[in-house]
Amino acid sequence: MRIVLLGVPGSGKGTQTEAIVNRYCISTISTGDLLRAEVDAGTKLGQCAKPFIDTGNLVPFDIVLGVIENSLRKLSEASSKGFLIDGFPRDLPQAEALDKLLLRLDQPLDIVLFLDVDYEEIIKRLLIRGRNDDNEDTIRNRLQIFEDKTSPLISYYTKKGLLRKIKGTGDVTDISSHISRILDEVA
Ligand code: AMP
């Protein structure tokens, strides 16, 4: 099963990702995690990405595309049961690039899940989470970028018949069960 998980930072993607990959034995690709690993390892790529991550801006297209391409190729060679991509695509050029890449690998997406949480709730959650890039200015910037650049993907994937919207507030296990019901239909 091949899934893209969309949602504002702090919408619970990390928590739900864990539940989904455990249930369906698929792999996760999180561009945020991959980029942070490059920063921590002090690689050249990480050094280029760091200022963007620190300010909550999108890391340039070529850098992120390289990262995702690498991971998808590795998975495809390992003939895995599928994947869940978290944090990518973040804008239309990335979505179009992903379509092309998956077409080349002959691994089209089965479904795009959108975890829907309102912004005030998100700010509260992120301030509690307290990651390095979770200060109020950066959070507002990341929400603005989601609104301007990522939210057009909702209609992009709706038109392709792939999008399922899930209410991301309330009890975490209820949200997980809702997602499982949807994914069981696809599996
Ligand atoms: P995340 O862990 O998904 O919230 O991502 C943390 C930060 O990594 C973002 O604020 C961006 O700076 C960067 N990032 C992650 N994924 C992408 C992406 N697909 N495109 C550009 N920047 C990204």
Side-chain angles (χ1 to χ4, degrees):
M1 185 154 37
R2 293 175 293 268
I3 308 167
V4 159
L5 182 57
L6 291 179
V8 189
S11 55
K13 285 182 287 144
T15 310
Q16 295 305 331
T17 293
E18 217 180 297
I20 297 168
V21 300
N22 287 339
R23 186 175 165 98
Y24 298 97
C25 298
I26 55 177
S27 309
T28 322
I29 301 175
S30 156
T31 44
D33 285 351
L34 291 168
L35 291 167
R36 278 186 292 277
E38 297 281 345
V39 173
D40 291 346
T43 63
K44 210 166 164 209
L45 193 154
Q47 284 168 19
C48 293
K50 190 174 186 312
F52 297 93
I53 298 174
D54 287 347
T55 49
N57 288 306
L58 292 188
V59 171
F61 180 84
D62 290 346
I63 296 181
V64 185
L65 193 67
V67 164
I68 194 104
E69 203 164 347
N70 225 343
S71 310
L72 283 170
R73 272 191 204 293
K74 273 191 207 147
L75 277 186
S76 147
E77 282 157 17
S79 60
S80 75
K81 285 189 171 180
F83 54 74
L84 180 150
I85 308 178
D86 163 13
F88 186 96
R90 286 275 228 283
D91 61 13
L92 281 171
Q94 289 186 8
E96 285 160 1
L98 180 64
D99 281 347
K100 278 193 200 139
L101 185 57
L102 293 178
L103 191 69
R104 274 212 308 276
L105 296 171
D106 194 23
Q107 303 215 336
L109 290 176
D110 295 307
I111 191 162
V112 176
L113 299 172
F114 169 48
L115 264 183
D116 190 22
V117 180
D118 74 60
Y119 289 176
E120 286 315 309
E121 169 77 23
I122 290 289
I123 292 172
K124 273 191 242 154
R125 284 190 194 180
L126 288 181
L127 286 173
I128 293 170
R129 183 171 77 173
R131 205 169 69 193
N132 276 349
D133 56 346
D134 284 341
N135 62 71
E136 193 153 352
D137 285 347
T138 312
I139 292 169
R140 289 204 183 274
N141 191 29
R142 273 153 54 212
L143 291 180
Q144 192 62 49
I145 288 174
F146 184 89
E147 187 63 31
D148 296 343
K149 300 193 169 165
T150 312
S151 68
L153 299 183
I154 295 164
S155 66
Y156 178 85
Y157 286 121
T158 301
K159 281 185 199 134
K160 289 178 177 284
L162 289 173
L163 193 100
R164 298 293 293 265
K165 181 164 146 178
I166 292 126
K167 191 168 153 267
T169 41
D171 187 65
V172 177
T173 39
D174 288 345
I175 303 170
S176 295
S177 325
H178 185 187
I179 292 177
S180 297
R181 279 199 303 279
I182 292 174
L183 293 181
D184 283 347
E185 285 169 25
V186 176

